[in-house]
Amino acid sequence: MAAHTDERLSDRTVLLAGATSASGLAATRALVAAGAHVVATGRSTHRLQELADAGAQVVVADATSLEEMTALAQRIDAVDAVIPLVGGWRGGGGLAGQSDEDFAALLPALDAVRATSRAFDDALRASGAGRFAIVSSTAVGRPLAGGANYAAVKAASEAWARAVAQGYTKAARDAAEPLRAAAVVFRAKTLDPEALAARILALWMTTPPPSTTG
């Protein structure tokens, strides 16, 4: 692993919130190999074990809970990136098939974006290169009737991420300091865990990256 260490990621602390998925595991492995310190959260000790085996510091915590994320932020000395990975898909059946139950099941993804960005706002702005990144979908640009619930939640998440970016810009301007933090949206048609991991590694290729969809 040490042979792959990247000086841009060496010693950076990256929080993967809601990381007990294939994407969380792929991101953990890539970040650890690059020299980053990974903190991975999930609600199941059992499901976190694979992430611990991959080199992450694991914490049992609910990524959708502002209270739990705030408590975690107070426990971590510094953080350079926060990436909520809570997700899932429910859809089909045209517009008539967009049930309230399915919409409610999709909302935790937005809840995680809101909770993590709020809890770690100060820490990311204090970092020399803070990054807040979310995973979205190309469905936002071309929503279909059978995926209206899903596209609506993803669109709301993107709007929130853009508001986070504006907050970083305003804070830097008000303090007469260089802009060092960025909020980034990863859009994918089909989620590929390895491709997502590569995009996460690239967050520090520029300082800062565009605070927009990418």
Side-chain angles (χ1 to χ4, degrees):
M1 293 283 187
H4 301 287
T5 297
D6 187 323
E7 63 180 10
R8 289 167 296 196
L9 285 96
S10 181
D11 297 325
R12 294 201 185 281
T13 296
V14 179
L15 173 69
L16 302 177
T20 54
S21 63
S23 294
L25 182 59
T28 295
R29 287 173 171 164
L31 286 163
V32 170
H37 171 61
V38 176
V39 180
T41 77
R43 293 182 294 180
S44 166
T45 302
H46 174 71
R47 294 184 66 187
L48 283 168
Q49 186 57 51
E50 192 170 22
L51 295 166
D53 293 342
Q57 173 189 345
V58 298
V59 179
V60 177
D62 183 354
T64 69
S65 167
L66 177 60
E67 180 179 3
E68 293 188 30
M69 289 296 101
T70 299
L72 179 58
Q74 292 170 349
R75 289 163 51 192
I76 300 176
D77 290 337
V79 65
D80 300 293
V82 173
I83 306 167
L85 293 173
V86 176
W89 157 261
R90 289 199 183 192
L95 201 62
Q98 304 305 291
S99 70
D100 291 346
E101 292 78 11
D102 283 351
F103 187 68
L106 292 166
L107 274 177
L110 174 59
D111 292 338
V113 169
R114 295 180 67 247
T116 55
S117 62
R118 294 163 70 195
F120 288 91
D121 185 56
D122 288 344
L124 289 174
R125 287 192 284 109
S127 167
R131 305 288 185 260
F132 180 74
I134 71 167
V135 180
S136 189
S137 169
T138 55
V140 172
R142 187 174 178 271
L144 303 178
N149 279 336
Y150 179 75
V153 170
K154 289 298 187 183
S157 296
E158 287 196 15
W160 188 275
R162 285 180 167 80
V164 171
Q166 191 277 333
Y168 293 158
T169 300
K170 183 178 186 302
R173 183 177 63 245
D174 290 349
E177 295 179 349
L179 177 62
R180 293 184 291 265
V184 179
V185 176
F186 298 135
R187 276 189 183 177
K189 183 175 183 180
T190 302
L191 186 57
D192 179 336
E194 298 299 331
L196 175 60
R199 296 293 294 278
I200 291 172
L201 293 182
L203 282 171
W204 291 274
M205 293 300 183
T206 60
T207 308
S211 298
T212 56
T213 302

